[in-house]
Amino acid sequence: MQNILIIGSNGQLGSEISDAIVKFPDLAGFFYDLPQIDITDASSVASKIKEHAIDLIINCAAYTAVDQAEADIDAAYSVNRDGPAVLGRLCKQNDLKLIHISTDYVFSGSARVPYRETDATDPIGIYGKSKLAGEQVIRKISPSHLIIRTAWLYSTRGNNFVKTMLRLGLENDTIRVVSDQMGSPTYARDLAWVILTIINKDVAKIKDQTYHFTNEGVCSWYDFARAIMVIKNLQCQVQPIATKDYPTLAARPQYSVLNSAKIKADWGLAIPYWRDSLTECLAKL
Ligand SMILES: NC(=O)c1ccc[n+]([C@@H]2O[C@H](COP(=O)([O-])OP(=O)(O)OC[C@H]3O[C@@H](n4cnc5c(N)ncnc54)[C@H](OP(=O)(O)O)[C@@H]3O)[C@@H](O)[C@H]2O)c1
């Protein structure tokens, strides 16, 4: 039996892990979020490690407000860099494994072929820079870790693009959505399954690795929005627009496609196509 501490459990990914873990009888999950655990406060994490005799931590906690981060720099670095440093140190001291989630935003988005784990990072905003700093500190401190970068995450829980589009699609006849940013929509449920499958398969193999994981396939935000309207049979028209016509506080990577070949090969995984997973998620909404 592996005792797993899941932090950030009220978020999209944390909630999906909570749902999925019941299918893994050899894994016992202990789920915490603010205010019970604050990853920037070592004593709050240490007490739960002791209380539940934890073997492994999954860090789903993050400062994820991409635009707000541009003004709230200290808070973004506190949660996305200093929090992982706390977890890395505690894992090293207590000989625990650590699975940490990172993002496509560590890349600039200037590539035109899917990013591999070995490609140079070059974040263009505070969120991406703070998440990259979190990766770097974990690599430095804790040898028994996996860092999994994902992108365009959505779920039935929390705030995300799918839920926003559903609301807008019900309220409007027409919406305008950016068509020149490309990525891979990723159902947090699929990422949750991959994380638990990895732990269940061979926990000893969790050692100093970085992986990319998204659902299969590539689309633009416009394609993603169109698929949501079509699958839900909403009459709202989706019009494609350019990024320059939808200004945001933080710049977005234009090309966010991650190559997931390494995680598939190392762990023998099959990854669902984004539109199939989207259909399954929408059936629950
Ligand atoms: N969402 C995406 O599109 C996306 C894309 C690529 C990668 N990722 C990464 O994937 C991971 C999971 O993302 P998500 O979408 O599930 O995030 P989420 O829904 O924003 O959930 C994050 C959770 O962490 C909590 N949290 C924030 N600060 C904390 C702290 N100091 N200590 C403990 N908990 C804290 C949040 O609480 P509050 O809500 O109260 O702040 C929230 O419940 C993150 O590492 C994120 O960077 C996300």
Side-chain angles (χ1 to χ4, degrees):
M1 180 69 77
Q2 293 290 322
N3 289 343
I4 305 171
L5 179 63
I6 297 98
I7 311 180
S9 58
N10 295 340
Q12 299 192 83
L13 179 59
S15 318
E16 293 290 350
I17 293 174
S18 169
D19 287 353
I21 204 162
V22 294
K23 298 278 167 50
F24 293 81
D26 294 334
L27 308 182
F30 300 92
F31 293 85
Y32 290 98
D33 205 304
L34 291 169
Q36 288 82 14
I37 276 190
D38 179 343
I39 56 168
T40 64
D41 168 17
S43 64
S44 73
V45 186
S47 74
K48 299 302 175 201
I49 291 174
K50 200 167 166 208
E51 183 181 338
H52 302 298
I54 292 301
D55 301 299
L56 184 150
I57 295 178
I58 306 174
N59 181 33
C60 307
Y63 183 108
T64 54
V66 173
D67 288 317
Q68 216 174 300
E70 295 299 311
D72 211 2
I73 301 172
D74 289 348
Y77 273 94
S78 170
V79 182
N80 292 344
R81 177 197 59 202
D82 303 342
V86 164
L87 299 181
R89 269 193 293 276
L90 285 169
C91 286
K92 174 127 170 89
Q93 283 162 13
N94 294 283
D95 197 20
L96 312 182
K97 308 278 184 188
L98 173 61
I99 298 185
H100 174 73
I101 311 304
S102 192
T103 171
D104 54 315
Y105 276 64
V106 300
F107 297 112
S108 68
S110 60
R112 288 298 170 265
V113 291
Y115 283 102
R116 290 182 178 276
E117 292 81 353
T118 45
D119 285 337
T121 51
D122 185 18
I124 54 177
I126 297 297
Y127 170 71
K129 287 178 184 169
S130 65
K131 290 291 291 182
L132 178 61
E135 290 188 4
Q136 288 165 337
V137 81
I138 285 176
R139 284 191 197 102
K140 203 165 146 195
I141 297 174
S142 162
S144 297
H145 69 263
L146 293 188
I147 293 169
I148 304 180
R149 294 182 183 138
T150 189
W152 294 30
L153 212 56
Y154 66 88
S155 143
T156 53
R157 257 74 61 91
N159 294 321
N160 56 60
F161 183 82
V162 172
K163 289 168 82 177
T164 303
M165 288 302 117
L166 277 183
R167 179 173 51 78
L168 294 177
L170 287 166
E171 291 170 355
N172 298 279
D173 295 331
T174 307
I175 57 169
R176 304 183 330 143
V177 180
V178 168
S179 62
D180 56 1
Q181 290 170 28
M182 307 302 289
S184 307
T186 300
Y187 190 5
R189 181 206 61 178
D190 295 337
L191 177 55
W193 270 92
V194 160
I195 292 169
L196 296 176
T197 300
I198 283 175
I199 299 169
N200 203 42
K201 268 194 173 175
D202 190 356
V203 80
K205 208 171 121 182
I206 296 177
K207 214 179 280 175
D208 198 8
Q209 285 288 341
T210 298
Y211 287 116
H212 289 173
F213 175 87
T214 62
N215 278 125
E216 298 284 18
V218 178
C219 70
S220 69
W221 290 111
Y222 162 77
D223 298 314
F224 192 8
R226 277 272 299 159
I228 293 164
M229 302 305 161
V230 170
I231 294 165
K232 284 306 262 188
N233 207 13
L234 295 173
Q235 299 312 307
C236 176
Q237 296 296 311
V238 185
Q239 290 179 355
I241 56 166
T243 299
K244 67 174 175 45
D245 297 322
Y246 187 75
T248 50
L249 277 175
R252 264 60 177 173
Q254 244 203 331
Y255 185 85
S256 262
V257 183
L258 302 178
N259 183 326
S260 305
K262 183 179 161 199
I263 200 167
K264 284 195 286 185
D266 281 6
W267 295 91
L269 302 170
I271 304 179
Y273 176 54
W274 72 268
R275 211 176 149 122
D276 295 340
S277 289
L278 175 63
T279 305
E280 286 178 25
C281 179
L282 286 172
K284 297 185 187 174
L285 286 169

